[in-house]
Amino acid sequence: MTPRHPLLPGRAGALTATAAACALLLVSAAAASPVPVEASPVPAAGGEGADVPQGTAVYRPVARFTTAGKPRDLLLHPDSRHLYVGSEDLPGTAGTDEGGLHVLDPADGKVRSTVDRAPGPTGTLGRRAVRRLVAPLPGDGAVFVYPLRGIGTAKDGDAAAAGAWVPGGPVTDAAPGTTPATVLVAQGSVLSEVDIATAAVRRSVTLEGGEEFAHDPARGTVWFTDVAHRRMYRVDTATFTVAATVELPAGEGFGGFTEVDPETGAVWVGLDTSVVVHDATGRRLDVIKGTDMPRAAEFDAATDQAFVVWQDTGDTSEPGSDNNGSLTVHRTGDLREAAPRVELPGHHVQSGEAALAVAPGGATVFVSDPAAGAITRLERATSPRITLNPVDVSAAAGTAVSLTARAEGTPAPDVAWQVSTDAGRTWRTVAGATSPTHTFTAAASDDSHRYRAEFTNGAGTARTTAATLTVTPAGGGPGGGTPGGTPGGGASGSGATGGAGSTGAVTGGSGTTGSADGGTAAGTVGGTTGGMGAGTGPTAAGGALASTGAAAAPFAGAAVLLTAAGWILVRRTRRRGAV
C-alpha cells in the first residue's frame, strides 16, 4: 500500500521537526523502492472487448481453392457434405478440360471426382460445362443445368451424367420443382415445370417479361423477376397462374438475384447496387444499400441470417470502382449486419457472377470468383466473451495465490495474465502466465497489485475486470504489530497493537504514573500493512508526537530518543522548583 505522510503537530519544537525530517526521508525511500516488472506495457483499458465487443462474429478467409476451373455455381450437399462445383473452362487454358461438375473436399479443395460428360440434344455424350446447380439428390449428387437446355444428374464417382434436353429456348434459371421428380425452369419469360429424367414439360405459363425467379415451396409461390419492367410476378404453383404483381424501385435495370428466405417467405432481390426486401405477401420491408452490385444470396435457417455477395463492376473508369467485392451477413429479422463486412479482393462481374454456399449453422461459407478461377473458404470466428472474472484475494506473504478467469470464443482464445502496480493506470504482461488459472507465491511487495486476464483469438481481444491482491505479514493479519513499552523503574508504557492505518502516539502527561525517572513509552512498528502500535506513558507536559502506520523501525527509535530528552527537561525543572 502507498505510505501516507505523517501528521506533524507544530508544538513539538526542534526535536519534533528533526523527527519529521527523519520520517519524510523514510517515506521517500519507501516510495522510491524499485518495483519489478515482468514484460512490456499493454493497454490499460479492461473489463470489455479491447477491439470489438465481446462475442462479435467475424468471417475470415482461411483457404483458396483453384482446382475447379472457372466456377459458376456452388452447392454444399446436406448429406454427404461434398462441395459440388459447376464450372466452365478458364480462358487461355483451351488445352485443359476444366469444365463440368467437380466434387471437392470442402476442407482442402481436393478434387474427389469430375463428371464432364453429359448427353446432347440427340443423346450423344459430350463434354459439357455446368452453369447452374439446382438441387441435391438424396444421399449424394446434384441436379444441374448445362448449356443450352440440358437437365442433368450425377454424383461423386460417376463416369458420365444422365440428362435430357428441355424443348424450347435456352434455360435462363432453374429451381427445385413442386415434387422431387421435377424442376422449375425459366426460358426467358416462360416458366415451366419439367421432369428431371425426361425433361418433358408438365405445365407452363408465359409472363410479360423477365428471366429469373425463386421458388417458395412452403407457401406454394414462385416470385418471377422482370427487371426491365421493374416488377415481380407472384405465381401460384397450385394453378400456375399469376396471382399478383409487385412493383420494384426504379433504377438502371441491372438485376442480380432473386431468392426467398425459407423461414419467413421474404423475397430478396438484388437490384442495381441494392437489395430490395419484400415480405411473403409482396409488401416492401426495406432496402439494403451498397456501392457494389449484389450478385448472390443464401439463407441459413439455424442462425436466421442472410449472406450476400457483392461484386465490383470491374470498370475502373467508373467512380467508386476498385475491383474489390465483399461478403455481408444480415439478420433476417431486422436486416442489420450480423458480422463485419468482409472484403473480397478482385471480385468483379466482368467474367461472370459469383456464387455462394453456406454450411448449416453458418460456420463455413464458400464464395466463387469466376474472374480468378478460385473458390474462397471463409470461417466464422467469434471474439472472446468473458464468462468468469478473477476475484479479489487476501493472502499471507510466502503463501500460494491462485487467480482464475475463463472466456469462450471460436476458435478457443489464448490467455495471458497482466499485472498493474499503479492502481490500474498501466499494465504489464506476466511472463509465462498463459493458463486460465494463474498461481504464484505472494510477496510483501505484491500488496495492492491488480491482476487481470487477457483473452485473444483471430476475431478479437477481451480483458477481464481486475482483481486486487492484499498481502498480509507472514503469521499475522493486516496491520499486525507487537506490544510496545520499555520498563524504566516505574510504571511502564503499554503499547497497543496497531491496526491497518492506525496512529501510534506518545502523549505528554504530568508524570504522576511513575517516579521522577519513571517509565518511557513508545509505540512499536506494526506489521507490513499495519500502522505503528499506539503506546502511552509519561512525557513532558504538552509534548506530542503522532505517526502513521507506515513508519519504519528507525522512526520508533527516534521517538524513544525524543521521549528520553523530554524526561531530562522535566527532571531539571523539578529540581529548580524544589530549591
Side-chain angles (χ1 to χ4, degrees), residues 154-411:
K155 64 180 184 299
D156 181 24
D158 284 351
W165 282 55
V166 182
V171 174
T172 56
D173 200 1
T178 60
T179 73
T182 63
V183 294
L184 295 168
V185 298
Q187 294 167 284
S189 60
V190 178
L191 176 67
S192 303
E193 185 168 27
V194 303
D195 285 322
I196 294 174
T198 65
V201 177
R202 292 190 177 185
R203 51 186 179 163
S204 65
V205 58
T206 300
L207 306 166
E208 294 182 28
E211 58 182 16
E212 66 179 32
F213 66 94
H215 182 203
D216 181 7
R219 295 158 189 84
T221 300
V222 167
W223 292 96
F224 204 97
T225 305
D226 182 356
V227 175
H229 294 98
R230 312 297 286 192
R231 64 184 60 164
M232 286 192 301
Y233 309 106
R234 191 177 73 190
V235 177
D236 185 342
T237 57
T239 62
F240 235 60
T241 59
V242 176
T245 300
V246 176
E247 298 299 322
L248 294 172
E252 299 177 4
F254 297 110
F257 61 81
T258 304
E259 299 289 349
V260 173
D261 179 358
E263 293 296 305
T264 65
V267 190
W268 292 50
V269 181
L271 206 61
D272 302 321
T273 58
S274 300
V275 178
V276 184
V277 183
H278 296 78
D279 67 13
T281 68
R283 180 176 62 90
R284 187 180 305 171
L285 297 175
D286 207 344
V287 176
I288 301 172
K289 296 181 179 181
T291 56
D292 293 327
M293 307 172 73
R295 281 297 181 261
E298 190 163 333
F299 301 91
D300 177 57
T303 58
D304 292 326
Q305 292 178 347
F307 297 77
V308 180
V309 176
W310 307 71
Q311 288 179 277
D312 190 76
T313 63
D315 183 356
T316 54
S317 65
E318 293 186 4
S321 177
D322 59 3
N323 258 4
N324 297 326
S326 62
L327 171 72
T328 58
V329 186
H330 306 266
R331 298 195 296 259
T332 56
D334 57 15
L335 309 187
R336 294 181 181 274
E337 288 193 356
R341 180 182 296 258
V342 182
E343 184 175 278
L344 301 173
H347 275 250
H348 58 76
V349 298
Q350 295 297 317
S351 298
E353 297 182 356
L356 180 65
V358 179
T364 306
V365 178
F366 299 90
V367 180
S368 70
D369 181 358
I375 300 167
T376 300
R377 174 188 168 111
L378 300 100
E379 291 183 355
R380 182 179 61 210
T382 306
S383 65
R385 185 179 70 84
I386 304 300
T387 59
L388 178 66
N389 287 291
V391 296
D392 295 347
V393 63
S394 179
T399 62
V401 173
S402 290
L403 300 169
T404 299
R406 294 191 184 93
E408 60 185 16
T410 305

Side-chain angles (χ1 to χ4, degrees), residues 540-551:
L545 175 63
S547 172
T548 65

Side-chain angles (χ1 to χ4, degrees), residues 430-451:
V430 179
T434 56
S435 298
T437 297
H438 174 37
T439 301
F440 59 98
T441 300
S445 58
D446 295 329
D447 184 58
S448 297
H449 288 184
R450 298 183 183 183
Y451 295 84

